[in-house]
Amino acid sequence: MNLLLLHGFTSHPVLTLGPLPRALREAGFGVSQPALPGHGTRPEDLKGVRWQDWLSAAREAYAALGEPRGVVGLSMGALLAAHLAAEMPTQALVALAPALALKSPLAPLAPLLAWLIPRFPGPDSIQDPELKKQNPNYPYFPTRAVLELLALMQRTPEALPKVKAPALVVEAGKDRVVRGVRRYYELLGSQRKAYLVFPESGHDLLLDRDRERVAQAVRDWLIANSNHLR
């Protein structure tokens, strides 16, 4: 199976997925890791990027994969993954800490804050203090960019019931960034779906203390799913 791996908002397109790409390749999966618009360069490049640009780039990368194919998304990437799985033939969907809503009490004020505060610091997404120092993601982001993330969040619940592919949803037990992971799971239209929780992990599951266990769990589920589909 060929897998599209989609990173999150302000995430580094490759490094934020930690040991997962290597684990998947070693298990025989094809892996594609595109950089979504505004990512992998500098935070200022997020200015002017719309949520439709992220979805369009994800669609293009997914369409380029040979079948059978599946999609793995982290945070914002899990929202985009749901849209792809709802629209196109998909053998597997993996959603890691899907960002269906933000925990920050300031999130609803983003339209106002965008005029007052031009940029915000990156979220507290890693629990382990030593690993936190190595965070490869943007240290800050333009406040206006979060409006596009919020718009994508608003449009994702209607896509979830249209997903029929087998699905795995993974929750970070100490996630300080997003909420609504269980709701994402419950809204999925998949007949076969599973839910895992890593109690000690922060939002960036693949950069935190359980990163190897998370990667192994995703790999094992994808292998079992591939065997089931044969």
Side-chain angles (χ1 to χ4, degrees):
M1 185 187 301
N2 294 302
L3 296 168
L4 181 67
L5 273 55
L6 296 171
H7 62 82
F9 178 68
T10 75
S11 294
H12 189 283
V14 176
L15 299 179
T16 196
L17 296 168
L20 180 60
R22 185 192 73 246
L24 294 176
R25 288 190 180 98
E26 289 177 352
F29 294 99
V31 174
S32 173
Q33 290 179 261
L36 297 171
H39 293 83
T41 51
R42 57 193 187 115
E44 288 74 18
D45 290 340
L46 280 168
K47 289 180 179 176
V49 176
R50 304 191 65 202
W51 69 268
Q52 292 95 333
D53 300 324
W54 297 324
L55 183 53
S56 177
R59 278 194 190 115
E60 185 176 333
Y62 193 61
L65 292 182
E67 292 198 37
R69 59 192 173 179
V71 60
V72 179
L74 169 70
S75 192
M76 178 184 80
L79 306 187
L80 299 171
H83 286 269
L84 298 183
E87 297 170 3
M88 291 185 267
T90 305
Q91 300 298 313
L93 164 67
V94 177
L96 300 160
L100 207 54
L102 295 175
K103 280 192 172 179
S104 172
L106 296 177
L109 302 176
L112 175 62
L113 293 174
W115 294 101
L116 301 174
I117 305 170
R119 71 184 200 182
F120 250 70
D124 184 7
S125 61
I126 300 173
Q127 284 288 304
D128 187 281
E130 289 305 312
L131 293 171
K132 188 179 293 190
K133 295 176 185 175
Q134 305 167 37
N135 190 344
N137 301 327
Y138 284 160
Y140 63 89
F141 58 88
T143 309
R144 186 160 295 281
V146 82
L147 300 181
E148 297 303 317
L149 176 60
L150 292 171
L152 177 61
M153 289 175 178
Q154 291 172 359
R155 285 160 178 81
T156 300
E158 64 193 38
L160 290 167
K162 300 174 186 174
V163 176
K164 305 304 179 187
L168 170 66
V169 179
V170 182
E171 177 187 342
K174 294 188 176 179
D175 199 324
R176 298 178 180 175
V177 182
V178 308
R179 54 186 175 84
V181 178
R182 174 61 70 169
R183 180 169 178 248
Y184 180 106
Y185 172 81
E186 290 172 349
L187 287 173
L188 281 171
S190 310
Q191 285 192 338
R192 291 182 57 240
K193 55 185 178 180
Y195 195 88
L196 287 178
V197 181
F198 286 86
E200 298 304 313
S201 288
H203 180 65
D204 266 312
L205 292 128
L206 291 162
L207 295 176
D208 217 335
R209 49 176 64 102
D210 281 333
R211 59 197 182 282
E212 295 288 349
R213 289 179 56 229
V214 175
Q216 290 166 11
V218 171
R219 177 202 63 197
D220 292 349
W221 182 86
L222 284 165
I223 291 172
N225 178 64
S226 296
N227 293 336
H228 180 84
L229 293 171
R230 283 176 185 163

